[in-house]
Amino acid sequence: MQITEPLEFGKYYHIYNRGINSENIFKENRNHEYFLILYNKYIDPIAETFAWCLLKNHFHLLIRIKTFEEILENQQEHEIKKIIPPHQSFGNLFNAYTKAINKGYNRHGALFERPFKRKLIDNETYLKTVIKYIHHNPVNHGFCEHPIEYPWSSYLTCVSEKPTKLKREKVISLFNNIEDLKAIHNKKENFNSLEEFLNL
């Protein structure tokens, strides 16, 4: 049985997973949209989001699990009295999405590989690398030439001024300013060593 590390309050994680047997988990645009609706419902209350990307058969998320106190404060505002473990919130997200896909496409059984993968991010350099890696994922997989061309990632949000729950200002400050963020994302980079570490 595979042992996975728990998601700890107040820490940063790169969370990622793919469809079982590399099956496509996002078959059309409305699937991406529905996943983000469910993400807002299940994950926003317990985590801050710094980067995300949804591809056909896998996804990447960079999040900070809120502290117990932050979650409690948020739930008191909404009169929710029970706090569930963070990993269960992700389990609820994936289960709800799986049920919708199974119903919509007349399929049965698991949709995602289990358990979902997670890597602790414990320093700022690693954090910045993962942000760029997530935004460049569509480029690395041949879907586009530059992150700005791909609609289902947080890069477009980072370089826009539209209201968002993404921690955009924190992301920009990691790269000093918006100009530096764009310049760093304009540079091609080899992510082979990171993908080996992620076991992709």
Side-chain angles (χ1 to χ4, degrees), residues 6-199:
L7 299 175
E8 297 183 37
F9 295 110
K11 294 192 175 181
Y12 291 81
Y13 292 93
H14 178 191
I15 291 177
Y16 55 103
N17 209 357
R18 58 166 44 102
I20 195 162
N21 299 319
S22 293
E23 178 180 337
N24 284 347
I25 52 180
F26 304 108
K27 304 173 190 296
E28 49 190 317
N29 285 344
R30 64 191 179 99
N31 301 153
H32 299 85
E33 292 166 357
Y34 189 62
F35 184 90
L36 294 174
I37 289 170
L38 292 176
Y39 184 90
N40 184 59
K41 176 181 178 181
Y42 290 107
I43 306 305
D44 273 3
I46 61 102
E48 296 177 332
T49 304
F50 286 76
W52 60 270
C53 185
L54 311 181
L55 289 102
K56 285 186 177 181
N57 69 353
H58 68 287
F59 66 84
H60 293 273
L61 310 168
L62 198 170
I63 54 100
R64 172 189 167 267
I65 302 295
K66 295 177 182 177
T67 64
F68 186 86
E69 291 74 21
E70 287 171 331
I71 296 172
L72 186 63
E73 182 180 342
N74 177 71
Q75 295 200 343
Q76 283 175 340
E77 289 176 7
H78 296 87
E79 299 182 347
I80 300 170
K81 297 177 181 177
K82 183 182 179 184
I83 293 182
I84 62 175
H87 71 269
Q88 189 175 328
S89 294
F90 281 95
N92 291 344
L93 162 64
F94 303 142
N95 287 338
Y97 185 74
T98 297
K99 286 179 182 177
I101 293 297
N102 284 354
K103 183 178 180 181
Y105 295 91
N106 195 27
R107 70 181 298 283
H108 304 278
L111 178 65
F112 297 96
E113 287 187 355
R114 295 177 182 171
F116 65 89
K117 300 176 176 67
R118 74 291 304 263
K119 294 287 186 184
L120 176 67
I121 298 175
D122 57 4
N123 66 75
E124 187 174 296
T125 300
Y126 184 21
L127 183 66
K128 290 166 65 176
T129 298
V130 174
I131 289 172
K132 182 176 177 182
Y133 169 73
I134 289 175
H135 289 158
H136 268 265
N137 220 240
V139 178
N140 297 341
H141 287 280
F143 290 106
C144 56
E145 293 293 321
H146 188 281
I148 202 165
E149 299 168 7
Y150 191 73
W152 302 110
S153 93
S154 52
Y155 183 72
L156 285 172
T157 304
C158 284
V159 297
S160 80
E161 296 181 354
K162 294 179 181 178
T164 179
K165 292 184 178 180
L166 185 81
K167 293 300 173 183
R168 178 168 55 207
E169 296 306 317
K170 289 186 179 180
V171 171
I172 291 172
S173 68
L174 284 168
F175 294 90
N176 298 322
N177 53 55
I178 189 67
E179 289 76 20
D180 284 355
L181 181 143
K182 289 178 179 179
I184 287 170
H185 279 76
N186 285 340
K187 295 176 183 176
K188 296 281 187 181
E189 190 169 335
N190 187 317
F191 291 103
N192 289 345
S193 59
L194 179 58
E195 294 207 327
E196 285 178 16
F197 173 67
L198 298 175
N199 193 25

